[in-house]
Structure formats: structure tokens, C-alpha cells
């Protein structure tokens, strides 16, 4: 905290001392600056307080934690470093502080130069105190008031602190007015910037939008000309010029604009230039710059070019010209900084939306290449490497291709047990799934009618035989012939009935398993001749039926091997080999299948006819990529063949 630097020259010393109260109050009521307000306020405060010999107002500077004196009373050339200690205490503690420099406990080993001069002059030294009171706004120390006064009783010191407390409110008001003005300025600046952005966000072509934006900026800042250039792949072109709906892009002045904008694009920093006074040109490097040549050619008085940066990328250049007056002030610079921080995103979005298909593909490809081969983006690089390795494996690796098909297990030989004649079911001893031996009775048919018919024909045979003997005894040749024929007929019928009685028991023709048939619920029901009662298949002699899709038939050949997995008994696959291919397709579930027969090399004990599963036939080695995509490729070829003329 530098208090010793607050010294005024001899010409201004004592200016406030000779001014009247009216002049001070006039400066206090209508100050032209913060320093003038603080100077007037400090003068009024020190004149109202008794026995005050010096006073200083400290305000926070733009640098962090730095306080500088802005007002001193009285205005004399004097070193005020002796007040720094009490000021620091007040700012650190955040309260009013009273310091007694004459107290040995508070001495710092240095005497005031004025006191030393008074000692040398033989004058009697007066005892003084140092009083400091901080100014705090929104829990932030913004300044302090430091006074040097005569020693007084403790009650008067408290009264002095109370007067300082009330007086510091004017400093609070100063900072509040300063913040209010700053907020109002920011609001006006944001509002005007939003108007420009609203113009930029309107629906329309980018060329027209940039023309409207340049006109708006020129009107707001009082520029004679405003131009906007766009940067594409490091190349700058003038896209819009205020008050000029059309301009010749190849004109000499346009080339100067481009050169000036390229200079800004290379440096990525704003460039300002003002015409030298009293001469059209001044020799030197600056006069040979692109902006200097543009000023000489266009007749402008000052020029300012600012890059439109989107991150680290320059998307455009904004160039402003003025034919009269000085350059751009700080407020205008802040307004332009705010605008140039928001406008590039809008321009880039509009330009991206107006790209053609080829430009979009080119930009997307460039971004992809940057991510794959440029710095950073490790996830993209890792994913691309993984994809490349996968493609190499898919296109170069060979695997065994197997044709999958739904499979049904059938017996190698199937025999049907049918009803030999019309009868009724008397008993049933087996059902589907039972294992039977050769000659085992499967079911029994009702034989009561057959036995009655057997007695009938037996009786008729006996009757005709007796009559035949009588006719032979009487030598009746005609009757002998007739009765002989009737005897033969009765014997034939009797033999037929006897044969049927021997087939009443339906037996198994061989050892096997019942694969269909269940008469346990049909006892007493009639059966017709030739009706299939049971179906028997031999054990350990099977054939496998594969339903191969017609699209995969070209890969299946006789003698190929494969494996079978039964759905109901999931375990080790069963080896098989293709034995027969039926060249007739069968439609099932909306798809065409070919019947392919295969033999099992070794049938497991748990295998039974009728079981279903999935069979896979080895069709040779193929590329992994072909195995995964050949179905889609075949469909695509067929579709193209269908659609193409």
C-alpha cells in the first residue's frame, strides 16, 4: 500500500485550501470523476471534524488486494507513509482502528518528518492519533478512510468513529453507483449484441445475413464501412460489405481487404491502425502493412480488424472503418469483444447448414482422418485399430462351413401292424414308445363271432357229408355231385374262419419299438380291415432325415460328414454321413426344403425314432466373411436380378 506516492506538484498544492465551501459542495454534488468526488468529500469531512490535521481516502485498484490513495487533505507535498500501518489494520480486521503513535508500545522506530522539522524548529510537539475506518460493500473491502487527529478523550474518539461510520456511507454510495453504471452498461451492451445476433439467426442465406449484420454493426458504431470475411481452408474471401449489396470481388480494393484480413488470420489477434496526422504516408514498416495500404486506398481515418474465433479456429474476420474521428474507445472495444465471442458460432452453424453433399462428405472425411491420424482421440484410434483387425480376420481367416438343417430321426425299417379283418378291439397290451420282442402280442381282437361262424360251417359240413353218403348209397349221381360241391364249400368257409381265428392276436414281427399306436382307450371299438393299429421300428437301426433349405442345397453332397444334436437329449453330438439326396422339394412353413437322408455311425442307447434336433453337414472351408454374409449376398443378388430390367 503506497501512501508516500501521493504527492502533488507545487502548482496544485493548497488548491482546496483556498477554495470556498461553495466550490467544494459544487464539486461534491456534480463531480466529473471518482477522484474529484472523494477529494471533495474528504475536504468536507475533515473541515467538519475537530482537530484533524490530515486525511487520506484509499480505494481498491484494478489489481487484486491493492489499495491506492485517490484523495488527500490538505493538498500539500507531504509523505503520508506513517498512515499505512493503521490503514492496513483496518482493511485486514474489517473495523475501525485507532492508533497512538506516541505510545511506546505502538512506535515503529520511525518519526514523522514533520515532527522532526518541528523539533528542529524548536516548536512543542503535539500528540496525535491515527484513525482508520474501512469501507465494505457486499462483504468485500473496497476502500478505507485514514485521518490524523489530535489526542482526545475516549468518548470523543468514539464520537469520531461514529461520524466516520456515517460519512463512509457516501463511499458506499459511490461504489453502488459505479456498479449500477457498470451493470447498466453491460445490459445495454448485451442488448445491442443480442440485436446483432438476432439478425444473424434469422432464416435466410448466409450471404444476406452477413450483409444485414455488417449494416447493423456499421450503424451501431458509426462506421463508414464494415466488411466481413469468411475463412475456408486457410483462404479468406470477402463475404459482405456494408451498404453494398453487390461488389466486384476481383477489384483492387477487395484484394486489399483480403490482404488485411489474411494478416489478422495469420496472427489471430485484433489489428488496429490509424492514419498518421499531417501526412498522407509515413515511411516505415507500419506504413507498408496491409492495413496501411487499405487506409490509403479507401480514405479511412482509422481501421480495426478482429478475428472471429471459434475455439482455436478462425472462421471469419470483421473489419471496421471510420472516415472521421479517432479510433475505437474502450467501451466500443468491449462491445466488439462480446460480439466476436458469440458471432462465430452462428456463422459456423449457418455455413455448415448450407454445405452441399460433396462438401459435407469432404468435411466429415477430413474430421474422421483428423481423429484417426491426428493427436488425441485415443478411443477413436483404438476403435479403428480393433475394426481393422476384425476386418483382417474376417477376410483372411478360414473356418469350416456347416449347413444347418432341422432333423428328424426315423427307423431304418418300419413295419405296420394292421387289422386283418373287421372286428372289435378286445384288449391292448402295448402303446407307443414300448419296446417289444418278436412274436409278442400287441393287441387282441374279439373272436366270438368267428367262433360262432366256425361252429356254423362245421355243422353245415357234417350235414352235407351225411347227405352225400346217403346219395352215394342210393346211387343218385346228380345229388352226389351237388352235395359234394356243398361239402367243399363248407370246408372252405371253415378253413377261412379258422385262419381268421389264428390272426386274432396281433404280434410283433421283430424286435423293435412301438413308434405309433395306442388302443388302450379304444377297447370295444370296431376296426376295419387294413386299419393301421401299430407302427414298429427296429432298435439300433436308424436313418436321419435332414430338411435342407433350397438355398443351401448346392453345398450338400453325398458322402459329406456332419453331426447331430438331439433337442430332447442335449449332449455330445452324434456323427453322421449323407447317404441319399432326394431331388424333390417339399414346401413347409412357407419355405422349400429338400429331403436329405443320412446314416448314423453309431446310434446311442437313448436314441428313439421320432426325435428331432439340428443337424450340421460339413461343406468344406470358407472365408469367415463369406460364412457371415453369404445369405445376405445371395438375397441381394436375387433382388437385383429381379428389379433390374
Amino acid at each position: 500500500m503506497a501512501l508516500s506516492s501521493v504527492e502533488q506538484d507545487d502548482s496544485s498544492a493548497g488548491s482546496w485550501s483556498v477554495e470556498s465551501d461553495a466550490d467544494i459542495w459544487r464539486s461534491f454534488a456534480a463531480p466529473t470523476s471518482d477522484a474529484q468526488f472523494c477529494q471533495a468529500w474528504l475536504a468536507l469531512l475533515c473541515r467538519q471534524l475537530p482537530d484533524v490535521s490530515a486525511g487520506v481516502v484509499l480505494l481498491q485498484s484494478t489489481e487484486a488486494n491493492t489499495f491506492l490513495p485517490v484523495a488527500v487533505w490538505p493538498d500539500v507535498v507531504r509523505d503520508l507513509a506513517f498512515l499505512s500501518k493503521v490503514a492496513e489494520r483496518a482493511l485486514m480486521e474489517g473495523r475501525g482502528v485507532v492508533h497512538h503513535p506516541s505510545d511506546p508500545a505502538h512506535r515503529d522506530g520511525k518519526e514523522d518528518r514533520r515532527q522532526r522539522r518541528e523539533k528542529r524548529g524548536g516548536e512543542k510537539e503535539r500528540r496525535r492519533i491515527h484513525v482508520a475506518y474501512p469501507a465494505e460493500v457486499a462483504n468485500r473491502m473496497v476502500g478505507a478512510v485514514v485521518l490524523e487527529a489530535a489526542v482526545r478523550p475516549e468518548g470523543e474518539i468514539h464520537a469520531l468513529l461514529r461520524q466516520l461510520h456515517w460519512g463512509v456511507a457516501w463511499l458506499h454510495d459511490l461504489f453502488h453507483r459505479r456498479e449500477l453504471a457498470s451493470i447498466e452498461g453491460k445490459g445495454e451492451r448485451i442488448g445491442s449484441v443480442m440485436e446483432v445476433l438476432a439478425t444473424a439467426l434469422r432464416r435466410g442465406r448466409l450471404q444476406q445475413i452477413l450483409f444485414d449484420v455488417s449494416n447493423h454493426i456499421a450503424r451501431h458504431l458509426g462506421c463508414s464501412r464494415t466488411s466481413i470475411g469468411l475463412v475456408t481452408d486457410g483462404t479468406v474471401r470477402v463475404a459482405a460489405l456494408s451498404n453494398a449489396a453487390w461488389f466486384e470481388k476481383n477489384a483492387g480494393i477487395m484484394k486489399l481487404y483480403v490482404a488485411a484480413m489474411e494478416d489478422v488470420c495469420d496472427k489471430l489477434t485484433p489489428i488496429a491502425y490509424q492514419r498518421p496526422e499531417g501526412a498522407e504516408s509515413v515511411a516505415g514498416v507500419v506504413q507498408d502493412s496491409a492495413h496501411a495500404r487499405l487506409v490509403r486506398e479507401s480514405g479511412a481515418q482509422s481501421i480495426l480488424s478482429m478475428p472471429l474465433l471459434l475455439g482455436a479456429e478462425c472462421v471469419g474476420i470483421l473489419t471496421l472503418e471510420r472516415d472521421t474521428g479517432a479510433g475505437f474507445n474502450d467501451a466500443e472495444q468491449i462491445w466488439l469483444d462480446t460480439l466476436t465471442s458469440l458471432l462465430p458460432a452462428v456463422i459456423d452453424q449457418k455455413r455448415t447448414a448450407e454445405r452441399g453433399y460433396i462438401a459435407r462428405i469432404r468435411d466429415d472425411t477430413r474430421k474422421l482422418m483428423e481423429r484417426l491420424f491426428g493427436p488425441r482421440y485415443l478411443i477413436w484410434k483404438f476403435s479403428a485399430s480393433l475394426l481393422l483387425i476384425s476386418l483382417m480376420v474376417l477376410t483372411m481367416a478360414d473356418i469350416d462351413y456347416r449347413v444347418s438343417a432341422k432333423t428328424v430321426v426315423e427307423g431304418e425299417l418300419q413295419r405296420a401292424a394292421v387289422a386283418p379283418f373287421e372286428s372289435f378291439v378286445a384288449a391292448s397290451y402295448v402303446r407307443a414308445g414300448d419296446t417289444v420282442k418278436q412274436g409278442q402280442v400287441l393287441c387282441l381282437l374279439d373272436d366270438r363271432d368267428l367262433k360262432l361262424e366256425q361252429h356254423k360251417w362245421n355243422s353245415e359240413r357234417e350235414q352235407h357229408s351225411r347227405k352225400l353218403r346217403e346219395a352215394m348209397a342210393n346211387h343218385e349221381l346228380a345229388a352226389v355231385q351237388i352235395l359234394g360241391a356243398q361239402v367243399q364249400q363248407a370246408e372252405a368257409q371253415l378253413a377261412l374262419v379258422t385262419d381268421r381265428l389264428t390272426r386274432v392276436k396281433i404280434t410283433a414281427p421283430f424286435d423293435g419299438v412301438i413308434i405309433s399306436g395306442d388302443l388302450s382307450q379304444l377297447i370295444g371299438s370296431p376296426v376295419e380291415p387294413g386299419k393301421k393299429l401299430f407302427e414298429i421300428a427296429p432298435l439300433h437301426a436308424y436313418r436321419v432325415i435332414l430338411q435342407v433349405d433350397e438355398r443351401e442345397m448346392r453345398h450338400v453332397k453325398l458322402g459329406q460328414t456332419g453331426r447331430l444334436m438331439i433337442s430332447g437329449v442335449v449332449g455330445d453330438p452324434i456323427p453322421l454321413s449323407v447317404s441319399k439326396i432326394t431331388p424333390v422339394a417339399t414346401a413347409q412353413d412357407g419355405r422349400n426344403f429338400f429331403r436329405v437322408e443320412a446314416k448314423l455311425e453309431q446310434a446311442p442307447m437313448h436314441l428313439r425314432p421320432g426325435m428331432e434336433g439340428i443337424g450340421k453337414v460339413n461343406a468344406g472351408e470358407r472365408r469367415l466373411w463369406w460364412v457371415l454374409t453369404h445369405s445376405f449376398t445371395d438375397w441381394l443378388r436375387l433382388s437385383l436380378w429381379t428389379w433390374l430390367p
Side-chain angles (χ1 to χ4, degrees), residues 181-259:
S182 176
I183 293 174
E184 291 177 351
K186 291 180 180 178
E188 293 178 359
R189 182 169 65 253
I190 293 174
S192 58
V193 169
M194 288 299 105
E195 291 180 2
V196 179
L197 292 180
T199 302
L201 290 171
R202 291 185 307 182
R203 184 186 300 272
R205 301 289 297 176
L206 179 61
Q207 185 73 31
Q208 180 63 36
I209 289 175
L210 293 180
F211 175 70
D212 296 339
V213 168
S214 61
N215 289 335
H216 198 130
I217 296 174
R219 289 193 304 269
H220 181 76
L221 297 179
C223 300
S224 57
R225 281 171 301 280
T226 300
S227 57
I228 299 177
L230 296 180
V231 181
T232 305
D233 296 332
T235 303
V236 181
R237 66 176 181 87
V238 180
L241 192 64
S242 62
N243 302 321
W246 179 87
F247 52 87
E248 180 62 40
K249 296 182 179 180
N250 294 325
I253 187 66
M254 291 295 105
K255 294 181 180 180
L256 293 177
Y257 276 110
V258 171

Side-chain angles (χ1 to χ4, degrees), residues 51-65:
D51 295 331
V52 175
S53 58
V56 179
V57 176
L58 302 174
L59 294 183
Q60 188 178 27
S61 65
T62 56
E63 299 180 3
N65 298 326

Side-chain angles (χ1 to χ4, degrees), residues 17-51:
S17 62
V18 298
E19 289 186 357
S20 62
D21 289 344
D23 295 333
I24 298 176
W25 279 103
R26 189 179 301 111
S27 300
F28 178 73
T32 59
S33 64
D34 293 345
Q36 186 179 6
F37 174 83
C38 293
Q39 187 71 40
W41 174 81
L42 182 61
L44 293 174
L45 179 67
C46 292
R47 289 187 178 189
Q48 293 177 2
L49 297 177
D51 295 331

Side-chain angles (χ1 to χ4, degrees), residues 298-537:
S298 64
Q301 183 66 26
S302 60
I303 185 172
L304 173 63
S305 296
M306 301 189 68
L308 302 178
L309 299 176
L310 186 61
E313 179 185 3
C314 181
V315 300
I317 308 296
L318 176 62
T319 301
L320 305 100
E321 301 175 65
R322 280 180 176 172
D323 293 342
T324 58
F328 297 88
N329 55 34
D330 295 339
E332 292 171 338
Q333 288 280 3
I334 295 175
W335 188 88
L336 287 172
D337 291 338
T338 305
L339 177 64
T340 54
S341 64
L342 300 175
L343 186 60
V346 179
I347 294 177
D348 183 71
Q349 181 183 9
K350 290 286 185 181
R351 186 167 59 177
T352 302
E354 292 184 2
R355 293 179 304 170
Y357 291 108
I358 297 178
R360 292 183 181 182
I361 294 175
R362 184 183 66 251
D363 293 343
D364 293 342
T365 303
R366 184 179 67 253
K367 291 180 180 179
L368 180 61
M369 293 298 103
E370 290 177 355
R371 292 182 177 182
L372 294 180
F373 301 103
R376 300 177 300 167
Y377 301 106
L378 295 180
I379 296 179
W380 280 83
K381 293 179 175 59
F382 175 77
S383 301
S385 302
L386 186 62
L387 179 61
L388 181 60
I389 294 174
S390 301
L391 289 177
M392 293 178 62
V393 172
L394 289 174
T395 55
M396 300 179 64
D398 292 335
I399 64 171
D400 291 333
Y401 175 58
R402 296 181 294 179
V403 177
S404 299
K406 183 179 178 181
T407 304
V408 178
V409 178
E410 296 181 355
E412 186 177 9
L413 176 64
Q414 295 184 2
R415 182 73 59 86
V418 299
F421 49 83
E422 184 177 0
S423 182
F424 297 89
V425 178
S428 178
Y429 303 108
V430 295
R431 64 180 64 183
D434 292 344
T435 302
V436 296
K437 300 292 184 178
Q438 183 178 4
Q440 181 179 345
V441 178
L442 306 180
C443 67
L444 183 65
L445 300 180
D446 190 2
D447 59 352
R448 289 176 297 178
D449 292 341
L450 292 176
K451 287 181 178 181
L452 291 175
E453 190 175 357
Q454 184 183 29
H455 288 302
K456 170 187 172 183
W457 291 111
N458 191 23
S459 298
E460 288 185 1
R461 186 188 64 173
E462 293 296 333
Q463 292 176 4
H464 292 312
S465 297
R466 188 175 58 253
K467 290 180 179 180
L468 177 61
R469 288 193 298 270
E470 291 177 355
M472 292 176 63
N474 297 327
H475 300 284
E476 296 176 356
L477 296 178
V480 171
Q481 292 180 354
I482 293 173
L483 291 173
Q486 290 178 346
V487 171
Q488 291 178 359
Q489 181 183 5
E491 290 178 351
Q493 292 292 338
L494 180 60
L496 178 61
V497 172
T498 304
D499 182 67
R500 288 183 176 179
L501 284 173
T502 60
R503 290 187 293 170
V504 169
K505 296 180 180 180
I506 307 298
T507 60
F510 48 78
D511 295 345
V513 60
I514 305 298
I515 60 176
S516 66
D518 184 7
L519 302 180
S520 60
Q521 303 296 327
L522 300 176
I523 303 300
S525 61
V527 293
E528 298 177 353
K531 180 180 179 180
K532 184 170 64 174
L533 303 178
F534 298 97
E535 192 172 4
I536 307 171

Side-chain angles (χ1 to χ4, degrees), residues 53 78 112-128 148:
S53 58
R78 185 180 181 188
D112 183 77
R113 287 183 296 175
R114 181 181 61 82
Q115 292 177 349
R116 291 200 301 270
R117 288 197 300 268
E118 290 178 355
K119 279 185 177 182
R120 286 193 298 267
E123 297 180 357
K124 182 180 180 180
E125 179 183 1
R126 300 180 59 191
R127 298 176 61 194
R128 316 296 292 177
E148 182 187 37

Side-chain angles (χ1 to χ4, degrees), residues 72-150:
V72 179
W73 186 89
D75 289 338
V76 295
V77 180
R78 185 180 181 188
D79 184 7
L80 299 178
F82 62 92
L83 297 177
S84 61
K85 186 174 182 179
V86 66
E88 290 178 358
R89 285 186 57 193
L91 292 173
M92 292 178 59
E93 298 176 7
R95 62 181 181 86
V97 176
V98 179
H99 179 64
H100 298 269
S102 58
D103 190 350
H106 295 85
R107 287 186 179 273
D108 55 1
K110 296 183 180 179
E111 291 186 293
D112 183 77
R113 287 183 296 175
R114 181 181 61 82
Q115 292 177 349
R116 291 200 301 270
R117 288 197 300 268
E118 290 178 355
K119 279 185 177 182
R120 286 193 298 267
E123 297 180 357
K124 182 180 180 180
E125 179 183 1
R126 300 180 59 191
R127 298 176 61 194
R128 316 296 292 177
I129 61 173
H130 301 161
V131 181
Y133 202 90
E136 184 178 0
V137 176
N139 297 325
R140 179 171 58 91
M141 293 295 172
V142 297
V145 182
V146 187
L147 301 178
E148 182 187 37

